[in-house]
Amino acid sequence: MVSPLPALNVAAPAIELADWTHTMQRSVLRQMLAVVSRPGILSFAGGLPAPDLFPTADYSRALAQVLATDRGALQYGPPFAPLKAHIVRLMAERGVDCAPEQVFLTTGAQQALDVLTRLLLDDGGQVLLEEIVYTGIRQVVAPYRPRVLPVSTDLATGIEVEDVIDYLDGGARPAFLYIIPDAHNPLGVSLSQAKRRRLADVAVAYNLPILEDDPYGFLSYDGQCLPPVRAHNDSHVFYVGSFSKIMAPALRLGWLIAPEALLPKLTVIKEAGDLESSALTQRAVAAYLDGGHLPAHLARLNEEYRCRRDTMLAAMTRHFPEGVFWTTPRAGMFIWVTLPEHVDAGALLETAIERERVAFIPGQAFAQPGTAAANTMRLNFSNCCLADIEAGIERLGRVIGEVAGGG
Amino acid sequence: MVSPLPALNVAAPAIELADWTHTMQRSVLRQMLAVVSRPGILSFAGGLPAPDLFPTADYSRALAQVLATDRGALQYGPPFAPLKAHIVRLMAERGVDCAPEQVFLTTGAQQALDVLTRLLLDDGGQVLLEEIVYTGIRQVVAPYRPRVLPVSTDLATGIEVEDVIDYLDGGARPAFLYIIPDAHNPLGVSLSQAKRRRLADVAVAYNLPILEDDPYGFLSYDGQCLPPVRAHNDSHVFYVGSFSKIMAPALRLGWLIAPEALLPKLTVIKEAGDLESSALTQRAVAAYLDGGHLPAHLARLNEEYRCRRDTMLAAMTRHFPEGVFWTTPRAGMFIWVTLPEHVDAGALLETAIERERVAFIPGQAFAQPGTAAANTMRLNFSNCCLADIEAGIERLGRVIGEVAGGG
């Protein structure tokens, strides 16, 4: 015999959610992307690599080969050792010396950030983030409701390391500092060599873990490629790599170079998150790399993206009015534009879409609360053909010209 | 000019980790699996589906087709609507009425558990878990250091719902209850129809969210298939589905049926975890389902697994001594064995491996702290051929016979 239950409410009561979810914010960036992805809009807003440059045919062959020959391809399984060996070789080309025992495979670079945050950050702890920062890291730390210590960034040399030191000298105990060493998203800047070395020293001197997120590090449009901070420090730098920009995002495959002693803990955290990354994808990417396709593919990517970047920079020089400044990225996918101070990029976006059918992301979307970035915008150059870049910048220049001139 | 940094320690100091990591435990289960996966050991220990039953050729064709025809296959992209439509149809076959707007795609069922826990559980909050429980859910909740309220389980009818009510009547406010409605891992039991309905009522009456994890629900070896609790309650039950057991684990693709109003929050949480699940996999699975292959594939799986289950049960009847009891699973991959009380399954495992080269998982690996399960073990029947099942159970019976007889 079962006992009676309490009387039902007419309407079911609302489920109680975890406290932090009440302060949760949808990504402004993602909302904007939804708005500007309407047909007929020429968009520099997204952060997408060029799908016409994906190694589709070679990867399709790699998948077919693996499925035809490897009984473990669709099964659960441990991390695929041959892929780790490939990553060790890739890292050597990037100037980083590491062992397979330090390679940790993740479901994209984003999962690496999530797993590391779980490892390092306590509820209400401190984190060092740039004032203008990749929105994905803000989403990762949000559930911990951390105290964010904002650090400014020089548009020519990268994060202001002395600001980091000031916080540390002032007694701050951040769980980590997050950086993008090359082709910062959204700023487009790469860290100077001096700052790389300085950060490597600071990390050890202050026992400060650094999350070094390097999705664009294997791209280089000017032949110049400095090793990441991890090349100068293997005790405190957690290097995060990704196949999303050098092969394709839908692989959802990334990696972490971390101190070997921490891999068991990282494994437990990752298992809780998604058990493991796809055995099939791990094998297919390894087969693609076995085929020796990557160097030629990277060369083609670099040539194409350099051309798109240069086309956009040249068009900006022609079409943007005086008083507008921008970064010249050595790699990556983004140019950061600073408009005259009185220009509001959010209002500009509305006019640009309405009158000229062209879109971008206002820089404020990447700003920490309290950071003023109203007169900035991010332009993407990787996902448009040259004709669209030329036409779109001309149209955008008209809108900026009117508003900037009217200031 | 840069200021001098504090003097370096000779040895770099250890990185400070988040508090909870000091109580982190490696999965006993995973460690055991590593031990027993030695060559020459006949293993009933793992939880693997049979790789010879994966739809390898059809899925390979689906991948090739998608890569040849869909420009979005390797790109970032929103959840693939045709896959959601397929899942709505699958759920209808399972007796669950839902809309595409309630379907949320995840990187395997494990990610669904992780995302839901993040949505519902506060640090130090309460959760209702069975005393003998899937280890993956314990790994998910561990970082929150929750107060776990243990619930006992009847081996014929499933979780003791009246125990759940007792906790709730006693003032407990758990963030959720976790259940597996069919073919419980590790117990092999399926919930009785009465308990399904009762749980649906309890969830509403007490405003109790239920995480209903249903990886085996589309398998059924006796033609009998009860709808899950979600079929009786769409306000408080979060249904978790997976393609791992009905297609293949390496897809890393699962889904959640959740109240539509919560999908924006779930999206933000998932984006923080891994941005999105593979666009390629979503499209390839949809293409496979478009091809109409699944019903015949499920029929074949059910026939094969039924045969393996029946072979194991029959061999146990022949070779296990009196005083040993076991569950008869209607689906899934596991049989739960209860040995005479004085038998320690951990010690038995050592003897079994050493003398008879046969392995299983001692039940204690699935037990909450404080729950006694020393005389129990989990046997997997999905990943061995019939001859190995026959031979392995005979060998295991010899070891049990000696130890049980000697009590």
Side-chain angles (χ1 to χ4, degrees):
Chain A
M1 206 205 103
V2 295
S3 53
L5 299 176
L8 299 188
N9 292 319
V10 176
I15 289 170
E16 271 182 45
L17 306 181
D19 264 353
W20 80 275
T21 63
H22 304 301
T23 56
M24 175 195 280
Q25 295 181 326
R26 283 231 59 174
S27 161
V28 180
L29 183 62
R30 290 246 165 183
Q31 288 173 300
M32 280 190 177
L33 286 174
V35 170
V36 302
S37 317
R38 297 193 310 241
I41 302 280
L42 206 164
S43 177
F44 303 131
L48 304 179
D52 41 314
L53 298 178
F54 292 153
T56 308
D58 286 330
Y59 185 65
S60 188
R61 270 188 293 274
L63 276 169
Q65 177 203 320
V66 163
L67 282 166
T69 57
D70 187 335
R71 226 177 103 90
L74 285 172
Q75 184 62 290
Y76 291 112
F80 192 55
L83 180 60
K84 289 195 179 189
H86 274 297
I87 289 171
V88 168
R89 286 189 287 272
L90 277 173
M91 293 308 301
E93 285 171 35
R94 189 85 182 82
V96 170
D97 186 29
C98 65
E101 295 74 24
Q102 298 171 311
V103 178
F104 184 79
L105 301 175
T106 60
T107 307
Q110 185 70 27
Q111 186 184 54
L113 303 180
D114 193 45
V115 166
L116 286 172
T117 299
R118 186 65 102 181
L119 179 74
L120 298 171
L121 182 59
D122 276 312
D123 236 56
Q126 303 172 344
V127 288
L128 284 160
L129 302 182
E130 286 165 284
E131 291 173 339
I132 307 288
V133 71
Y134 169 58
T135 53
I137 188 67
R138 289 175 59 197
Q139 270 182 275
V140 168
V141 301
Y144 302 82
R145 287 178 287 191
R147 184 161 158 237
V148 176
L149 312 175
V151 184
S152 61
T153 305
D154 182 276
L155 291 177
T157 61
I159 187 169
E160 295 291 12
V161 183
E162 301 310 304
D163 286 7
V164 171
I165 295 174
D166 285 348
Y167 277 117
L168 297 165
D169 282 341
R173 298 290 298 147
F176 60 79
L177 163 67
Y178 171 84
I179 59 165
I180 298 179
D182 281 289
H184 188 288
N185 176 7
L187 298 174
V189 62
S190 293
L191 272 173
S192 69
Q193 176 70 312
K195 284 189 172 177
R196 287 169 204 246
R197 290 186 180 280
R198 182 78 169 158
L199 276 173
D201 292 343
V202 167
V204 175
Y206 291 90
N207 196 19
L208 172 71
I210 294 180
L211 271 54
E212 183 173 41
D213 189 6
D214 191 38
Y216 314 110
F218 291 87
L219 302 175
S220 173
Y221 311 148
D222 299 322
Q224 184 191 23
C225 203
L226 297 173
V229 180
R230 172 60 178 73
H232 309 289
N233 177 326
D234 60 4
S235 63
H236 286 74
V237 179
F238 297 83
Y239 177 96
V240 178
S242 170
F243 289 105
S244 290
K245 308 305 189 293
I246 58 176
M247 286 183 63
L251 305 177
R252 308 311 306 124
L253 196 61
W255 70 89
L256 200 47
I257 310 297
E260 187 181 343
L262 291 176
L263 257 64
K265 284 185 194 287
L266 290 168
T267 300
V268 172
I269 296 174
K270 183 195 161 46
E271 280 173 11
D274 69 355
L275 289 187
E276 59 188 44
S277 296
S278 166
L280 175 59
T281 310
Q282 290 179 49
R283 281 159 175 75
V285 170
Y288 172 86
L289 296 171
D290 286 345
H293 304 296
L294 190 64
H297 177 63
L298 284 180
R300 183 167 169 237
L301 280 183
N302 281 329
E303 193 182 311
E304 270 292 330
Y305 285 150
R306 179 195 306 117
C307 194
R308 293 180 193 202
R309 177 200 64 173
D310 290 346
T311 301
M312 186 172 275
L313 290 169
M316 290 164 77
T317 305
R318 276 199 307 281
H319 300 297
F320 282 9
E322 262 186 58
V324 179
F325 304 95
W326 51 86
T327 55
T328 299
R330 286 209 300 249
M333 317 195 306
F334 305 111
I335 296 171
W336 182 256
V337 180
T338 306
L339 302 162
E341 267 195 30
H342 68 275
V343 178
D344 180 87
L348 190 79
L349 176 62
E350 284 182 37
T351 314
I353 289 179
E354 221 168 273
R355 287 230 303 268
E356 298 284 355
R357 318 291 288 164
V358 62
F360 55 85
I361 298 284
Q364 198 66 49
F366 306 95
Q368 304 270 7
T371 296
N375 63 323
T376 60
M377 58 184 183
R378 187 190 78 173
L379 298 179
N380 168 266
F381 58 81
S382 59
N383 194 32
C384 287
C385 67
L386 301 184
D388 280 353
I389 291 174
E390 183 62 45
I393 293 295
E394 184 176 354
R395 292 194 231 164
L396 190 52
R398 273 202 293 273
V399 186
I400 297 174
E402 282 174 37
V403 182
Chain B
M1 210 206 98
V2 295
S3 53
L5 299 176
L8 300 187
N9 292 317
V10 176
I15 290 171
E16 273 182 43
L17 306 181
D19 265 353
W20 79 275
T21 63
H22 304 300
T23 57
M24 175 194 281
Q25 294 179 327
R26 282 231 60 175
S27 161
V28 180
L29 182 62
R30 290 245 165 184
Q31 287 173 301
M32 280 192 178
L33 286 174
V35 171
V36 302
S37 317
R38 295 192 311 239
I41 303 280
L42 207 165
S43 176
F44 302 131
L48 303 180
D52 41 313
L53 299 178
F54 292 152
T56 308
D58 286 330
Y59 186 64
S60 188
R61 271 189 292 274
L63 275 169
Q65 178 204 319
V66 163
L67 282 166
T69 58
D70 188 334
R71 226 177 101 90
L74 285 172
Q75 185 62 290
Y76 292 112
F80 192 55
L83 179 60
K84 290 194 178 189
H86 274 297
I87 289 170
V88 168
R89 285 189 288 272
L90 277 173
M91 293 308 301
E93 284 171 36
R94 190 82 182 85
V96 170
D97 186 29
C98 65
E101 294 74 24
Q102 298 171 311
V103 178
F104 184 79
L105 301 175
T106 60
T107 306
Q110 184 71 26
Q111 186 185 55
L113 303 180
D114 192 46
V115 167
L116 286 172
T117 299
R118 186 65 103 181
L119 179 74
L120 297 172
L121 182 59
D122 276 311
D123 235 56
Q126 302 172 346
V127 288
L128 283 160
L129 301 183
E130 286 165 283
E131 291 173 340
I132 307 289
V133 71
Y134 169 58
T135 53
I137 188 67
R138 289 174 61 197
Q139 270 182 276
V140 168
V141 301
Y144 302 82
R145 286 177 286 189
R147 182 159 160 240
V148 176
L149 310 176
V151 184
S152 60
T153 305
D154 182 277
L155 292 178
T157 61
I159 187 169
E160 294 291 13
V161 182
E162 301 311 304
D163 286 6
V164 171
I165 295 174
D166 285 348
Y167 277 118
L168 297 165
D169 281 340
R173 299 290 298 145
F176 61 80
L177 162 68
Y178 172 84
I179 60 166
I180 298 179
D182 281 289
H184 188 288
N185 175 9
L187 298 175
V189 63
S190 292
L191 272 173
S192 70
Q193 176 69 311
K195 284 189 173 178
R196 287 169 204 246
R197 290 185 180 279
R198 183 79 167 157
L199 277 173
D201 292 343
V202 166
V204 175
Y206 291 90
N207 195 18
L208 172 71
I210 295 180
L211 271 52
E212 183 173 42
D213 188 7
D214 191 37
Y216 314 109
F218 291 87
L219 302 174
S220 173
Y221 311 147
D222 300 321
Q224 186 192 21
C225 202
L226 296 174
V229 180
R230 172 60 177 75
H232 309 289
N233 178 325
D234 60 4
S235 63
H236 286 74
V237 179
F238 297 82
Y239 176 95
V240 178
S242 170
F243 288 104
S244 290
K245 308 306 188 292
I246 58 176
M247 286 182 63
L251 304 178
R252 309 309 308 125
L253 196 61
W255 69 88
L256 200 49
I257 310 297
E260 187 181 342
L262 293 175
L263 257 63
K265 284 186 195 284
L266 290 168
T267 300
V268 172
I269 296 173
K270 183 195 161 46
E271 280 173 11
D274 68 355
L275 288 187
E276 60 188 44
S277 296
S278 167
L280 174 59
T281 309
Q282 291 179 49
R283 281 159 176 77
V285 169
Y288 172 86
L289 296 171
D290 286 344
H293 305 295
L294 190 64
H297 176 64
L298 284 180
R300 184 167 168 238
L301 279 183
N302 281 328
E303 194 182 312
E304 270 292 331
Y305 285 149
R306 179 195 309 115
C307 195
R308 294 180 193 203
R309 177 201 63 175
D310 290 346
T311 300
M312 186 172 276
L313 290 169
M316 289 164 76
T317 304
R318 276 200 307 281
H319 299 297
F320 282 9
E322 262 187 59
V324 179
F325 304 95
W326 52 85
T327 55
T328 299
R330 288 209 299 251
M333 317 195 306
F334 304 111
I335 295 171
W336 182 256
V337 180
T338 307
L339 302 162
E341 266 192 33
H342 69 276
V343 178
D344 180 85
L348 190 79
L349 176 62
E350 284 181 38
T351 313
I353 289 180
E354 223 168 89
R355 286 230 303 268
E356 298 283 356
R357 317 291 290 163
V358 61
F360 56 85
I361 297 285
Q364 198 65 50
F366 306 95
Q368 305 272 6
T371 296
N375 63 323
T376 60
M377 58 184 181
R378 187 190 78 173
L379 298 179
N380 168 266
F381 59 81
S382 60
N383 195 32
C384 288
C385 67
L386 301 184
D388 281 353
I389 291 175
E390 185 62 45
I393 293 296
E394 184 177 354
R395 293 195 230 164
L396 190 53
R398 273 202 294 274
V399 186
I400 297 174
E402 283 173 36
V403 181

